[in-house]
Amino acid sequence: TASQPNQRWQQLYESLELKSYKNWKSPSVQSIKEDFADFKRKEEKWENRARIILLQTPLFTDFDDFREKVLNGEIREIDRAFAGKIHGMAAVSSVAALKSLVKTYSKPRDVDRIVNGIKNEEKLPMPIIVKGKDGMWVLSGNTRCNASFALGFKPKVIIIDLSKEESGEADV
């Protein structure tokens, strides 16, 4: 069938050995403020996203709640297979494809700056993923994750697990 070559290509792409990138850093207070401000700007979209991954809104009561959940989130290095399970995570295979993708964003990202940062082993803030009862969604860092993958590295992300939040069973 026509999809078999695409499936084989996808399997090959996912099986490529990725290296660890050691210069991911915890987000600064400033980057947490920026991520929260971006989240608030997109809050209407996040209401729909929350329904898709089976979460109730609001996801965060205020900035302090957001900051606490980011700083206490699970830090995990991810591969392409794991990334494929995250809503909002684009699956690009090259820097050129990533540049084409970000042109469609309402707020385009500077792909060259991120790529050069990785190549020059600069510190980069870890992307943030929200985990719900039925899936995960990228809150920030899709471009950083994809740049990392395109250059052969595994991104390290912060996973905010809200899947147990409503029942009072959230991990502390």
Side-chain angles (χ1 to χ4, degrees):
T1 66
S3 67
Q4 285 178 336
N6 288 340
Q7 288 174 338
R8 277 188 248 133
W9 167 248
Q10 186 65 29
Q11 289 170 342
L12 175 64
Y13 173 71
E14 289 178 2
S15 70
L16 292 174
E17 190 64 34
L18 297 172
K19 301 170 283 228
S20 291
Y21 181 74
K22 302 297 182 190
N23 287 330
W24 294 103
K25 66 177 183 173
S26 293
S28 66
V29 173
Q30 184 60 37
S31 68
I32 292 173
K33 285 180 182 177
E34 290 167 5
D35 288 338
F36 184 69
D38 193 45
F39 167 78
K40 292 301 279 183
R41 276 190 300 278
K42 297 176 183 174
E43 200 158 18
E44 212 170 279
K45 285 183 179 180
W46 273 100
E47 288 177 11
N48 186 49
R49 293 170 181 174
R51 278 191 290 280
I52 291 169
I53 61 174
L54 302 180
L55 291 175
Q56 292 183 4
T57 55
L59 298 180
F60 310 103
T61 55
D62 56 21
F63 171 73
D64 291 331
D65 181 45
F66 178 77
R67 182 187 68 220
E68 180 182 327
K69 287 175 177 159
V70 168
L71 294 176
N72 292 308
E74 172 194 355
I75 296 173
R76 178 175 182 170
E77 193 172 70
I78 64 171
D79 59 17
R80 289 184 182 100
F82 187 90
K85 298 174 188 174
I86 302 171
H87 293 281
M89 179 71 70
V92 299
S93 57
S94 69
V95 173
L98 181 56
K99 286 181 178 184
S100 292
L101 174 69
V102 301
K103 286 179 184 176
T104 67
Y105 290 3
S106 60
K107 181 182 164 192
R109 307 303 191 269
D110 187 346
V111 174
D112 288 329
R113 183 182 58 79
I114 295 168
V115 166
N116 288 333
I118 293 170
K119 287 180 177 179
N120 295 324
E121 299 183 2
E122 295 173 9
K123 299 270 186 201
L124 295 175
M126 288 181 263
I128 301 170
I129 311 298
V130 172
K131 180 180 178 183
K133 293 177 182 174
D134 189 27
M136 296 172 281
W137 210 291
V138 178
L139 189 137
S140 75
N142 182 39
T143 306
R144 282 170 273 157
C145 282
N146 277 290
S148 183
F149 286 138
L151 295 172
F153 292 102
K154 296 178 196 174
K156 194 177 281 188
V157 302
I158 296 172
I159 300 173
I160 301 173
D161 187 351
L162 301 177
S163 65
K164 302 172 193 161
E165 193 78 5
E166 286 117 22
S167 62
E169 300 172 21
D171 295 337
V172 180

